[in-house]
Coordinates of all heavy atoms in Angstrom, one line a residue:
M5 N 154.8 164.0 178.5 CA 154.1 165.2 178.1 C 154.9 165.8 176.9 O 156.1 166.0 177.0 CB 154.0 166.2 179.3 CG 153.1 167.4 178.9 SD 152.8 168.5 180.4 CE 151.9 167.6 181.3
A6 N 154.2 166.3 175.9 CA 155.0 166.9 174.7 C 155.4 168.2 175.0 O 154.9 169.0 175.8 CB 153.9 166.9 173.6
N7 N 156.5 168.6 174.4 CA 157.0 169.8 174.5 C 156.2 171.0 173.8 O 155.6 170.6 172.7 CB 158.5 170.0 173.9 CG 159.5 169.3 175.0 OD1 159.2 169.0 176.1 ND2 160.7 168.8 174.3
S8 N 156.1 172.1 174.4 CA 155.3 173.2 173.8 C 156.0 173.8 172.5 O 157.2 173.8 172.5 CB 155.1 174.3 174.8 OG 154.5 175.4 174.2
T9 N 155.1 174.1 171.6 CA 155.7 174.8 170.4 C 155.5 176.2 170.4 O 156.0 176.9 169.6 CB 155.0 174.2 169.1 OG1 153.6 174.4 169.3 CG2 155.3 172.7 168.9
V10 N 154.7 176.7 171.5 CA 154.5 178.2 171.6 C 155.5 178.6 172.6 O 156.0 178.0 173.5 CB 153.0 178.4 172.1 CG1 152.1 178.0 171.1 CG2 152.8 177.8 173.4
Q11 N 155.8 179.9 172.4 CA 156.8 180.6 173.3 C 156.3 181.9 173.7 O 155.6 182.6 173.1 CB 158.2 180.7 172.6 CG 158.8 179.4 172.3 CD 160.2 179.6 171.5 OE1 160.5 180.7 171.1 NE2 160.9 178.5 171.3
F12 N 156.9 182.4 174.9 CA 156.6 183.7 175.3 C 157.3 184.7 174.3 O 158.3 184.5 173.9 CB 157.2 184.0 176.8 CG 156.4 183.3 177.8 CD1 156.9 182.2 178.3 CD2 155.3 183.9 178.3 CE1 156.3 181.4 179.3 CE2 154.6 183.3 179.3 CZ 155.1 182.0 179.9
D13 N 156.5 185.8 174.1 CA 157.2 186.9 173.3 C 157.6 187.8 174.4 O 156.9 188.7 174.9 CB 156.1 187.6 172.4 CG 156.5 188.8 171.7 OD1 157.8 189.1 171.7 OD2 155.7 189.4 170.9
L14 N 158.9 187.9 174.5 CA 159.5 188.7 175.5 C 159.6 190.1 175.3 O 160.0 191.0 176.1 CB 160.8 188.1 176.1 CG 160.8 186.8 176.6 CD1 162.1 186.2 177.0 CD2 159.8 186.7 177.8
T15 N 159.1 190.6 174.0 CA 159.1 192.0 173.7 C 157.6 192.5 174.0 O 157.4 193.6 173.9 CB 159.3 192.1 172.3 OG1 158.4 191.5 171.4 CG2 160.7 191.7 171.8
N16 N 156.7 191.6 174.5 CA 155.4 191.9 174.8 C 155.2 192.0 176.3 O 155.4 191.0 177.0 CB 154.4 190.8 174.2 CG 152.9 191.1 174.4 OD1 152.6 191.7 175.4 ND2 152.1 190.5 173.6
P17 N 154.9 193.1 176.8 CA 154.8 193.4 178.3 C 153.8 192.5 178.9 O 153.9 192.0 180.1 CB 154.3 194.7 178.4 CG 154.6 195.4 177.0 CD 154.6 194.5 176.1
Q18 N 152.7 192.1 178.2 CA 151.7 191.2 178.7 C 152.3 189.7 179.0 O 152.1 189.1 180.0 CB 150.5 191.2 177.9 CG 149.7 192.5 178.0 CD 148.5 192.4 177.0 OE1 148.4 191.7 176.0 NE2 147.4 193.0 177.4
H19 N 153.1 189.3 178.0 CA 153.7 188.1 178.1 C 154.7 188.1 179.3 O 154.8 187.0 180.0 CB 154.5 187.7 176.9 CG 153.5 187.2 175.8 ND1 153.8 186.1 174.9 CD2 152.2 187.7 175.4 CE1 152.8 185.9 174.1 NE2 151.8 186.8 174.4
V20 N 155.5 189.1 179.5 CA 156.4 189.2 180.6 C 155.8 189.2 181.9 O 156.2 188.5 182.7 CB 157.4 190.4 180.5 CG1 158.3 190.6 181.6 CG2 158.1 190.4 179.2
A21 N 154.7 189.9 182.0 CA 153.9 190.0 183.3 C 153.3 188.6 183.5 O 153.3 188.0 184.7 CB 152.8 191.0 183.2
M22 N 152.8 188.0 182.5 CA 152.1 186.6 182.8 C 153.2 185.6 183.1 O 153.0 184.7 183.9 CB 151.4 186.3 181.5 CG 150.5 185.0 181.7 SD 149.0 185.2 182.7 CE 148.0 185.9 181.6
R23 N 154.4 185.7 182.5 CA 155.5 184.7 182.7 C 155.9 184.8 184.2 O 155.9 183.8 184.9 CB 156.6 185.0 181.8 CG 157.7 184.0 181.9 CD 158.9 184.3 181.1 NE 160.0 183.5 181.2 CZ 161.1 183.6 180.8 NH1 161.3 184.8 180.2 NH2 162.0 182.7 181.0
K24 N 155.9 186.0 184.7 CA 156.1 186.2 186.1 C 155.1 185.6 187.1 O 155.5 184.8 188.1 CB 156.3 187.7 186.5 CG 156.8 188.1 187.8 CD 157.1 189.5 187.9 CE 157.6 189.9 189.3 NZ 157.9 191.3 189.4
L25 N 153.8 185.8 186.7 CA 152.8 185.3 187.5 C 152.8 183.7 187.5 O 152.6 183.0 188.5 CB 151.5 185.8 187.0 CG 151.1 187.2 187.3 CD1 149.8 187.6 186.5 CD2 150.8 187.4 188.7
M26 N 153.0 183.2 186.2 CA 153.0 181.7 186.1 C 154.2 181.1 186.9 O 154.0 180.1 187.5 CB 153.2 181.4 184.7 CG 151.9 181.8 183.9 SD 152.1 181.6 182.1 CE 152.3 179.8 181.9
A27 N 155.4 181.8 186.9 CA 156.5 181.3 187.7 C 156.2 181.3 189.2 O 156.6 180.3 189.9 CB 157.8 182.0 187.4
D28 N 155.6 182.4 189.6 CA 155.2 182.5 191.1 C 154.2 181.4 191.4 O 154.3 180.8 192.4 CB 154.6 183.8 191.2 CG 154.4 184.2 192.7 OD1 155.3 183.9 193.5 OD2 153.2 184.5 193.1
I29 N 153.2 181.2 190.6 CA 152.3 180.1 190.9 C 152.9 178.8 191.0 O 152.7 177.9 191.9 CB 151.1 180.1 189.9 CG1 150.2 181.4 190.1 CG2 150.2 178.8 189.9 CD1 149.2 181.6 189.1
Y30 N 153.8 178.5 190.0 CA 154.4 177.1 190.0 C 155.3 176.9 191.2 O 155.2 175.9 191.9 CB 155.3 177.1 188.8 CG 155.9 175.6 188.7 CD1 155.3 174.6 188.1 CD2 157.2 175.5 189.1 CE1 156.0 173.4 188.0 CE2 157.9 174.2 189.0 CZ 157.2 173.2 188.5 OH 157.8 172.0 188.4
T31 N 156.0 178.0 191.6 CA 156.9 178.0 192.8 C 156.1 177.8 194.1 O 156.4 176.8 194.9 CB 157.8 179.2 192.9 OG1 158.5 179.3 191.7 CG2 158.6 179.2 194.2
R32 N 155.1 178.5 194.2 CA 154.2 178.4 195.4 C 153.4 177.1 195.5 O 153.2 176.5 196.5 CB 153.2 179.6 195.5 CG 154.0 180.9 195.8 CD 153.0 182.1 195.8 NE 153.8 183.3 195.8 CZ 153.8 184.0 196.9 NH1 153.2 183.6 198.0 NH2 154.5 185.1 196.9
H33 N 153.1 176.6 194.4 CA 152.4 175.2 194.3 C 153.3 174.2 194.8 O 153.0 173.3 195.7 CB 152.0 174.9 192.8 CG 151.3 173.6 192.6 ND1 152.0 172.5 192.3 CD2 150.0 173.2 192.7 CE1 151.2 171.5 192.3 NE2 150.0 171.8 192.5
T34 N 154.5 174.2 194.5 CA 155.5 173.2 194.9 C 155.9 173.4 196.3 O 156.0 172.4 197.1 CB 156.9 173.4 194.0 OG1 156.5 173.2 192.6 CG2 157.9 172.3 194.3
Q35 N 156.0 174.7 196.8 CA 156.2 175.0 198.2 C 155.1 174.4 199.1 O 155.4 173.8 200.2 CB 156.4 176.4 198.5 CG 157.8 176.9 197.9 CD 157.8 178.5 198.0 OE1 156.7 179.2 198.1 NE2 159.0 179.0 198.0
A36 N 153.8 174.5 198.6 CA 152.7 174.1 199.3 C 152.7 172.6 199.4 O 152.4 172.0 200.5 CB 151.4 174.4 198.5
F37 N 153.2 171.8 198.4 CA 153.4 170.5 198.5 C 154.4 170.0 199.6 O 154.1 169.2 200.5 CB 153.8 169.8 197.1 CG 154.1 168.4 197.3 CD1 153.2 167.3 197.5 CD2 155.4 168.0 197.5 CE1 153.4 166.1 197.7 CE2 155.8 166.6 197.7 CZ 154.8 165.6 197.8
Y38 N 155.5 170.7 199.5 CA 156.6 170.3 200.5 C 156.2 170.7 202.0 O 156.8 170.2 202.9 CB 157.8 170.9 200.1 CG 158.4 170.0 198.9 CD1 158.6 170.7 197.7 CD2 158.8 168.7 199.1 CE1 159.0 169.9 196.6 CE2 159.2 168.0 198.0 CZ 159.4 168.6 196.8 OH 159.9 167.8 195.7
S39 N 155.3 171.6 202.1 CA 154.8 172.0 203.3 C 153.6 171.1 203.8 O 153.0 171.3 204.9 CB 154.2 173.5 203.4 OG 155.3 174.3 203.0
G40 N 153.1 170.3 203.0 CA 152.0 169.4 203.2 C 150.7 170.0 203.2 O 149.7 169.5 203.9
V41 N 150.4 171.1 202.5 CA 149.1 171.8 202.5 C 148.6 171.6 201.1 O 148.6 172.4 200.2 CB 149.4 173.4 202.7 CG1 148.1 174.0 202.8 CG2 150.4 173.5 203.9
N42 N 147.7 170.5 201.0 CA 147.1 170.1 199.7 C 146.1 171.1 199.3 O 145.9 171.3 198.1 CB 146.5 168.7 199.9 CG 147.5 167.7 200.0 OD1 148.7 167.8 199.6 ND2 147.2 166.5 200.5
D43 N 145.3 171.7 200.2 CA 144.3 172.7 199.8 C 144.9 173.9 199.3 O 144.4 174.5 198.2 CB 143.5 173.2 201.1 CG 142.6 172.1 201.7 OD1 142.3 171.1 200.9 OD2 142.1 172.2 202.8
T44 N 146.1 174.3 199.6 CA 146.8 175.5 199.0 C 147.3 175.0 197.6 O 147.2 175.8 196.7 CB 148.1 175.8 199.9 OG1 147.5 176.1 201.2 CG2 148.8 177.0 199.4
M45 N 147.8 173.7 197.5 CA 148.2 173.4 196.2 C 146.9 173.5 195.2 O 147.2 174.0 194.0 CB 148.6 171.9 196.1 CG 149.9 171.6 196.8 SD 150.3 169.8 197.0 CE 150.5 169.3 195.4
K46 N 145.8 173.0 195.6 CA 144.7 173.2 194.7 C 144.2 174.6 194.5 O 143.8 174.9 193.4 CB 143.5 172.4 195.3 CG 143.7 170.9 195.3 CD 142.3 170.2 195.8 CE 142.6 168.7 195.7 NZ 142.8 168.1 194.6
R47 N 144.6 175.4 195.4 CA 144.2 176.8 195.2 C 145.2 177.5 194.1 O 144.6 178.1 193.2 CB 144.5 177.6 196.5 CG 144.1 179.1 196.4 CD 144.2 179.9 197.8 NE 143.4 179.2 198.8 CZ 143.8 178.8 199.9 NH1 145.1 179.1 200.3 NH2 143.2 178.2 200.8
Y48 N 146.4 177.1 194.0 CA 147.3 177.4 193.1 C 146.9 176.9 191.7 O 147.1 177.5 190.7 CB 148.8 177.2 193.4 CG 149.2 178.2 194.5 CD1 149.6 177.8 195.7 CD2 149.2 179.6 194.2 CE1 149.9 178.8 196.7 CE2 149.6 180.6 195.2 CZ 149.9 180.1 196.4 OH 150.3 181.0 197.4
E49 N 146.4 175.5 191.7 CA 145.9 175.0 190.4 C 144.8 175.9 189.9 O 144.7 176.3 188.7 CB 145.3 173.7 190.6 CG 146.5 172.6 190.6 CD 145.9 171.2 190.7 OE1 145.2 170.8 189.8 OE2 146.0 170.5 191.7
G50 N 143.8 176.4 190.7 CA 142.8 177.2 190.4 C 143.3 178.5 189.9 O 142.7 179.1 188.8
M51 N 144.3 179.1 190.4 CA 144.9 180.4 190.0 C 145.5 180.1 188.5 O 145.2 181.1 187.7 CB 146.0 180.9 190.9 CG 145.6 181.4 192.2 SD 147.0 181.9 193.2 CE 146.2 182.3 194.6
A52 N 146.1 179.1 188.2 CA 146.6 178.7 186.9 C 145.4 178.6 185.9 O 145.5 179.2 184.8 CB 147.4 177.4 186.9
Q53 N 144.4 178.0 186.2 CA 143.2 178.0 185.4 C 142.6 179.4 185.2 O 142.1 179.7 184.1 CB 142.1 177.0 186.0 CG 142.7 175.5 186.0 CD 141.7 174.6 186.8 OE1 140.8 175.2 187.5 NE2 142.1 173.4 186.8
G54 N 142.6 180.2 186.2 CA 142.1 181.6 186.1 C 143.0 182.4 185.1 O 142.5 183.1 184.3
L55 N 144.3 182.2 185.1 CA 145.2 182.8 184.1 C 144.9 182.4 182.7 O 144.8 183.2 181.8 CB 146.6 182.6 184.4 CG 147.2 183.1 185.7 CD1 148.7 182.7 185.8 CD2 147.1 184.7 185.7
E56 N 144.5 181.1 182.6 CA 144.0 180.7 181.3 C 142.8 181.4 180.7 O 142.8 181.8 179.5 CB 143.5 179.2 181.3 CG 144.5 178.1 181.3 CD 143.9 176.8 181.4 OE1 143.3 176.3 180.4 OE2 144.1 176.2 182.4
K57 N 141.9 181.6 181.7 CA 140.7 182.4 181.2 C 141.0 183.8 180.9 O 140.6 184.4 179.9 CB 139.6 182.2 182.3 CG 139.1 180.8 182.4 CD 138.1 180.6 183.4 CE 137.7 179.1 183.5 NZ 136.9 178.9 184.6
V58 N 141.8 184.5 181.7 CA 142.3 185.9 181.4 C 143.0 185.9 180.1 O 142.6 186.8 179.3 CB 143.1 186.3 182.5 CG1 143.8 187.6 182.1 CG2 142.4 186.6 183.9
A59 N 143.8 185.0 179.8 CA 144.6 185.0 178.6 C 143.6 184.9 177.3 O 143.8 185.6 176.4 CB 145.7 183.9 178.5
L60 N 142.6 183.9 177.5 CA 141.7 183.7 176.3 C 140.7 184.9 176.2 O 140.4 185.4 175.2 CB 141.1 182.3 176.6 CG 140.2 181.9 175.4 CD1 141.0 181.9 174.2 CD2 139.5 180.5 175.6
Y61 N 139.9 185.1 177.3 CA 138.8 186.0 177.2 C 139.1 187.5 177.4 O 138.3 188.2 176.9 CB 137.8 185.5 178.3 CG 137.3 184.1 177.9 CD1 137.5 183.0 178.9 CD2 136.6 183.7 176.8 CE1 137.0 181.8 178.7 CE2 136.2 182.4 176.5 CZ 136.5 181.5 177.5 OH 136.0 180.2 177.3
V62 N 140.0 187.7 178.2 CA 140.4 189.3 178.5 C 141.4 189.7 177.4 O 141.2 190.8 176.7 CB 140.9 189.5 180.0 CG1 141.2 191.0 180.2 CG2 139.7 189.0 180.9
L63 N 142.5 189.0 177.3 CA 143.6 189.4 176.4 C 143.5 188.9 175.1 O 144.1 189.5 174.2 CB 144.9 188.9 177.1 CG 145.2 189.4 178.5 CD1 146.5 188.8 179.0 CD2 145.3 191.0 178.6
A64 N 142.6 187.9 174.9 CA 142.4 187.3 173.5 C 143.7 186.9 173.0 O 144.0 187.2 171.7 CB 141.7 188.3 172.7
D65 N 144.6 186.3 173.8 CA 146.0 185.9 173.3 C 146.1 184.4 173.4 O 146.2 183.9 174.4 CB 147.0 186.6 174.3 CG 148.4 186.3 173.7 OD1 148.8 185.3 173.2 OD2 149.1 187.3 173.9
H66 N 145.9 183.8 172.2 CA 145.9 182.4 172.2 C 147.2 181.7 172.5 O 147.2 180.6 173.1 CB 145.5 181.9 170.8 CG 144.0 182.3 170.5 ND1 142.9 181.7 171.1 CD2 143.6 183.3 169.7 CE1 141.9 182.2 170.7 NE2 142.2 183.2 169.9
T67 N 148.3 182.4 172.3 CA 149.7 182.0 172.8 C 149.7 181.8 174.3 O 150.1 180.8 174.9 CB 150.8 182.8 172.2 OG1 150.7 182.8 170.8 CG2 152.1 182.3 172.6
L68 N 149.3 183.0 174.9 CA 149.3 182.9 176.4 C 148.3 181.9 176.9 O 148.6 181.2 177.9 CB 148.9 184.3 176.9 CG 150.0 185.3 177.1 CD1 149.5 186.7 177.5 CD2 151.1 184.8 177.9
H69 N 147.2 181.8 176.3 CA 146.1 180.7 176.7 C 146.9 179.4 176.6 O 146.7 178.6 177.6 CB 145.0 180.9 175.8 CG 144.0 179.7 176.1 ND1 143.8 178.6 175.4 CD2 143.2 179.6 177.3 CE1 142.9 177.8 176.0 NE2 142.6 178.4 177.1
Q70 N 147.5 179.0 175.6 CA 148.2 177.8 175.5 C 149.3 177.5 176.5 O 149.4 176.5 177.3 CB 148.8 177.5 174.2 CG 149.5 176.3 173.9 CD 148.6 175.0 174.0 OE1 147.3 175.2 173.5 NE2 149.0 174.0 174.4
L71 N 150.1 178.6 176.9 CA 151.1 178.5 177.9 C 150.5 178.2 179.3 O 150.9 177.6 180.1 CB 151.9 179.6 177.8 CG 153.0 179.8 176.6 CD1 153.4 181.2 176.4 CD2 154.0 178.8 176.6
C72 N 149.3 179.0 179.4 CA 148.6 178.9 180.9 C 148.0 177.5 181.0 O 148.0 176.9 182.0 CB 147.6 180.1 181.0 SG 148.4 181.7 181.2
F73 N 147.5 176.9 179.9 CA 146.9 175.6 180.0 C 148.0 174.7 180.2 O 147.7 173.7 181.1 CB 146.3 175.4 178.5 CG 145.8 173.9 178.4 CD1 144.7 173.4 179.1 CD2 146.6 173.1 177.5 CE1 144.3 172.2 178.9 CE2 146.2 171.6 177.5 CZ 145.1 171.3 178.2
E74 N 149.1 174.8 179.6 CA 150.2 173.9 179.9 C 150.7 173.9 181.3 O 151.0 172.9 181.9 CB 151.4 174.0 178.9 CG 151.0 173.6 177.5 CD 152.0 174.0 176.5 OE1 153.3 174.2 176.8 OE2 151.8 173.8 175.3
L75 N 150.7 175.1 181.8 CA 151.0 175.3 183.3 C 150.0 174.5 184.2 O 150.4 173.8 185.1 CB 151.0 176.8 183.7 CG 151.2 177.0 185.2 CD1 152.6 176.5 185.8 CD2 151.1 178.5 185.6
S76 N 148.7 174.7 183.9 CA 147.6 173.9 184.6 C 147.9 172.5 184.5 O 147.8 171.7 185.6 CB 146.3 174.4 184.1 OG 146.0 175.7 184.3
C77 N 148.2 172.0 183.3 CA 148.4 170.6 183.1 C 149.7 170.1 183.9 O 149.5 169.1 184.5 CB 148.6 170.2 181.6 SG 147.1 170.4 180.7
A78 N 150.6 170.9 183.9 CA 151.9 170.5 184.7 C 151.6 170.5 186.1 O 152.1 169.6 186.9 CB 153.0 171.5 184.3
L79 N 150.8 171.5 186.7 CA 150.6 171.5 188.0 C 149.7 170.3 188.5 O 150.0 169.6 189.5 CB 149.8 172.8 188.5 CG 150.6 174.1 188.4 CD1 149.7 175.2 188.9 CD2 152.0 174.0 189.1
Y80 N 148.9 169.9 187.7 CA 148.0 168.8 188.0 C 148.8 167.5 187.9 O 148.8 166.7 188.8 CB 146.9 168.7 187.0 CG 146.0 167.5 187.2 CD1 145.0 167.5 188.2 CD2 146.2 166.3 186.4 CE1 144.2 166.3 188.5 CE2 145.3 165.1 186.7 CZ 144.5 165.1 187.8 OH 143.7 164.1 187.9
A81 N 149.6 167.4 186.9 CA 150.5 166.1 186.8 C 151.5 166.1 188.0 O 151.7 165.0 188.5 CB 151.2 166.1 185.6
Q82 N 152.0 167.2 188.3 CA 153.0 167.3 189.4 C 152.3 166.9 190.6 O 152.9 166.1 191.4 CB 153.7 168.7 189.5 CG 154.6 168.8 190.7 CD 155.1 170.2 190.8 OE1 154.4 171.1 190.5 NE2 156.4 170.3 191.2
Q83 N 151.2 167.4 191.0 CA 150.4 167.1 192.2 C 150.3 165.6 192.3 O 150.4 165.0 193.3 CB 149.2 167.8 192.2 CG 148.4 167.6 193.5 CD 147.2 168.5 193.7 OE1 147.3 169.8 193.4 NE2 146.1 168.0 194.1
E84 N 149.7 165.0 191.1 CA 149.3 163.7 191.2 C 150.6 162.7 191.4 O 150.6 161.8 192.2 CB 148.7 163.2 189.9 CG 147.4 163.8 189.6 CD 146.4 163.3 190.6 OE1 146.2 162.2 190.9 OE2 145.7 164.3 191.3
C85 N 151.7 163.1 190.7 CA 153.0 162.4 191.0 C 153.5 162.4 192.4 O 153.7 161.4 192.9 CB 154.0 162.8 189.9 SG 155.5 162.0 189.9
L86 N 153.5 163.6 192.8 CA 154.0 163.9 194.2 C 153.2 163.2 195.3 O 153.7 162.6 196.2 CB 154.1 165.5 194.5 CG 155.2 166.2 193.6 CD1 155.0 167.6 194.0 CD2 156.6 165.7 194.0
L87 N 151.9 163.2 195.1 CA 151.0 162.6 196.1 C 151.1 161.0 195.9 O 151.1 160.4 196.9 CB 149.6 163.0 195.8 CG 149.3 164.3 196.2 CD1 147.8 164.8 195.8 CD2 149.5 164.7 197.7
E88 N 151.3 160.5 194.8 CA 151.6 159.1 194.5 C 152.9 158.6 195.3 O 152.9 157.6 195.9 CB 151.6 158.8 193.0 CG 151.7 157.3 192.8 CD 151.6 156.9 191.3 OE1 150.6 157.4 190.7 OE2 152.5 156.3 190.8
V89 N 153.9 159.5 195.1 CA 155.2 159.0 195.7 C 155.2 159.2 197.2 O 155.6 158.3 197.8 CB 156.3 160.0 195.1 CG1 157.6 160.0 196.0 CG2 156.6 159.9 193.7
A90 N 154.4 160.2 197.7 CA 154.2 160.3 199.2 C 153.4 159.2 199.8 O 153.6 159.0 201.0 CB 153.6 161.8 199.5
A91 N 152.6 158.6 199.0 CA 151.6 157.5 199.5 C 152.4 156.3 200.0 O 153.5 156.0 199.6 CB 150.6 157.2 198.6

C-alpha cells in the first residue's frame, strides 16, 4: 500500500477531532479481531466508511476524506490479512 501524501492539519480542530475518532476506530477494530468478534470488526469498518462520507459531504474536506478512505482501506486489508493468518 502506498504511503499517503495528505496529512492532518493539527491547527484545524476538525482534523484533530477526526484523528481522535479514527484512532479509536482503528484500535477497537483490532481489539475486536483479537476478541474473535468478526461482526464487531465489520461494524468498525462501517464506521470508518461513515467518517469518509462525513468528511466529504458534511465537512467538504477532501484531505479528511482521503485520510478516512485510507483508514477504511487499512481496516479492510488488516481484516483480510488477520483472517487469513488465523485460518
Side-chain angles (χ1 to χ4, degrees):
M5 188 178 289
N7 289 337
S8 173
T9 58
V10 296
Q11 296 181 349
F12 288 100
D13 175 1
L14 298 179
T15 64
N16 182 331
Q18 290 177 331
H19 281 222
V20 173
M22 188 70 84
R23 182 178 180 199
K24 186 175 180 178
L25 287 171
M26 292 171 68
D28 187 52
I29 289 171
Y30 184 85
T31 301
R32 290 174 187 261
H33 180 268
T34 303
Q35 289 172 338
F37 170 76
Y38 287 113
S39 298
V41 188
N42 293 341
D43 290 341
T44 302
M45 287 173 65
K46 291 192 182 293
R47 186 174 304 130
Y48 287 112
E49 278 185 63
M51 288 179 188
Q53 292 168 358
L55 290 181
E56 280 183 70
K57 291 177 182 169
V58 168
L60 184 61
Y61 298 116
V62 177
L63 301 175
D65 187 322
H66 295 286
T67 299
L68 276 180
H69 176 254
Q70 181 65 34
L71 291 165
C72 291
F73 172 75
E74 290 177 15
L75 172 64
S76 292
C77 291
L79 293 183
Y80 178 79
Q82 179 183 32
Q83 179 173 318
E84 291 300 308
C85 181
L86 292 172
L87 291 175
E88 185 176 305
V89 169

